[in-house]
Amino acid sequence: MNEALLRELVPAVIGILVRRGADFASAEDAVQEALIRALATWPDDPPRDPKAWLVTAAWHKFVDATRAEASRRGREVAVDAEPLAGPAPSSDDTLRLYFLCAHPTLPPASAVALTLRAVGGLTTRQIAAAHLVPEATMAQRISRAKRKLEGLPLDQPGDLATVLRVLYLVFNEGYGGDVDLAAEAIRITRQLAALTDEPEVAGLLALMLLHHARRASRTGPDGRLVPLGSQDRSRWDTGLIADGVTVLQAALARDRLGEYQAQAAIAALHADAPSAAETDWVQIVEWYDELLPLTGDSPVVRLNRAVAVGEADGPRAGLAALDGVDPELPRYAAVAAYLCERSGDLARAAELYADAAHAATSVPERDHLTREAARVRQQLRGS
């Protein structure tokens, strides 16, 4: 089975069923049943039009389930409206499904989880790992969200801020996880930007484009993580960078600054520097100062700002900027190690790099920090 094809088709098929009258929970159940049938039949008899096949099979499953449930006779709508033969409609129901999953009746945490499952194509296990909760807990959260949508009219718009958070989560999962959803997140965000005049949508699109432009340089040929300062900038996608900067400039011109626009401005300054040494760190600190109040004084933003301060004003200033940041915060030890190394405290830097490696949440990050600890220890032995 072509897993990438299924990830592309599943949300669109769910959206088509919802548009034809199925409630969300029943539509997702029907599509899952159709996928089981596809797994059994496609290897020996692949369809000419996979999307139309899935729409037809899922619609049959929905109709059968509706007919079998006597208590829901009133929902036996469109039984006679069988999908027409031939290709399925080409309209992008994936975008509409994002808004359905961000329904006003759902709390943001449930909307995020449900969208990652139904639209992003992530498994419950992957979503649970991203939220640091047991898989069973996440499965219950998704089931409760689906039950809450039962019988509700799904023509109300969802909460845009929730949709944007979900899109960025999908992008980041696609970038760093075991599922490549980054390009899909960019595609959906680009369509959303074309449908709304909200500058933050454009800001998120610009941020995605600027980060995605560096994708090829983030890992070496052996899979090792390559930090920003050591990346081969000749491998950066200048077309995506130009696109991101253009989108960002148009958003900033609206004079309605939001957190995604500020993050994109920081990413644009990194992308604009011909080398790491030529990065405009002073201006990056200024953008972090704009970003902090937009994020409610986020500890993560304050941590990243400390790195920028260390580059702009020296490592001791960067360490001072870490005051008040929770040491238990992910990446705190790695940031402190880097600043300690630059300040000349190699013994403390080696300890912190080792601590950071122990706390790393991914194998590439752990291996990178382990190598950094070994490198600094080697410097200590040679001094």
Side-chain angles (χ1 to χ4, degrees), residues 290-315:
E290 295 277 0
L291 181 58
L292 270 173
L294 293 172
T295 59
D297 199 24
S298 162
V300 174
V301 174
R302 191 165 287 282
L303 181 67
N304 292 334
R305 179 184 178 276
V307 176
V309 170
E311 298 289 354
D313 301 324

Side-chain angles (χ1 to χ4, degrees), residues 47-351:
R48 285 183 296 180
D49 188 335
K51 183 177 180 181
W53 190 100
L54 281 175
V55 169
T56 301
W59 185 253
H60 285 159
K61 293 291 183 182
F62 166 70
V63 170
D64 290 345
T66 303
R67 284 173 173 158
E69 207 167 335
S71 63
R72 298 196 180 186
R73 290 193 186 111
R75 285 179 46 220
E76 235 175 21
V77 294
V79 170
D80 298 325
E82 292 288 339
L84 298 175
S90 60
S91 60
D92 193 343
D93 290 286
T94 305
L95 182 60
R96 184 169 182 262
L97 193 58
Y98 265 102
F99 281 96
L100 299 187
C101 290
H103 194 273
T105 61
L106 291 177
S110 296
V112 166
L114 189 59
T115 304
L116 288 172
R117 176 72 177 89
V119 182
L122 301 184
T123 64
T124 303
R125 177 187 57 78
Q126 289 170 319
I127 301 170
H131 288 81
L132 304 177
V133 300
E135 184 174 351
T137 301
M138 184 56 66
Q140 291 174 356
R141 183 183 300 178
I142 293 172
S143 295
R144 285 196 299 267
K146 289 171 64 175
R147 285 197 300 270
K148 195 162 188 176
L149 292 179
E150 282 186 8
L152 291 176
L154 296 178
D155 55 352
Q156 302 176 41
D159 176 62
L160 183 60
T162 300
V163 173
L164 295 181
R165 283 197 299 271
V166 170
L167 284 165
Y168 198 35
L169 278 172
V170 174
F171 176 81
N172 285 323
E173 178 69 21
Y175 191 90
D178 60 355
V179 178
D180 185 4
L181 292 173
E184 180 68 8
I186 289 173
R187 182 183 72 85
I188 299 295
T189 306
R190 196 185 293 276
Q191 291 194 351
L192 182 59
L195 295 173
T196 177
D197 63 353
E198 173 55 53
E200 270 293 82
V201 179
L204 177 58
L205 175 58
L207 180 62
M208 289 179 176
L209 291 168
L210 290 164
H211 279 317
H212 205 54
R214 297 192 282 111
R215 182 171 191 170
S217 64
R218 287 182 182 249
T219 55
D222 55 359
R224 290 188 176 190
L225 186 68
V226 181
L228 176 61
S230 302
Q231 289 175 13
D232 180 358
R233 299 184 179 222
S234 68
R235 300 184 66 197
W236 290 4
D237 189 325
T238 55
L240 285 180
I241 291 173
D243 192 6
V245 169
T246 299
V247 171
L248 174 62
Q249 289 174 337
L252 292 175
R254 303 289 301 279
D255 199 23
R256 288 161 53 195
L257 185 64
E259 61 177 288
Y260 292 116
Q261 296 169 70
Q263 289 183 63
I266 293 168
L269 286 168
H270 283 298
D272 186 56
S275 67
E278 297 172 89
T279 303
D280 189 345
W281 288 107
V282 172
Q283 193 171 351
I284 287 176
V285 171
E286 292 173 356
W287 273 110
Y288 273 120
D289 290 339
E290 295 277 0
L291 181 58
L292 270 173
L294 293 172
T295 59
D297 199 24
S298 162
V300 174
V301 174
R302 191 165 287 282
L303 181 67
N304 292 334
R305 179 184 178 276
V307 176
V309 170
E311 298 289 354
D313 301 324
R316 295 192 182 280
L319 287 167
L322 280 179
D323 288 346
V325 179
D326 184 0
E328 299 300 317
L329 195 68
R331 292 187 58 249
Y332 178 95
V335 169
Y338 174 73
L339 293 171
C340 283
E341 180 186 356
R342 290 197 59 224
S343 71
D345 189 350
L346 298 185
R348 181 59 178 153
E351 293 176 3

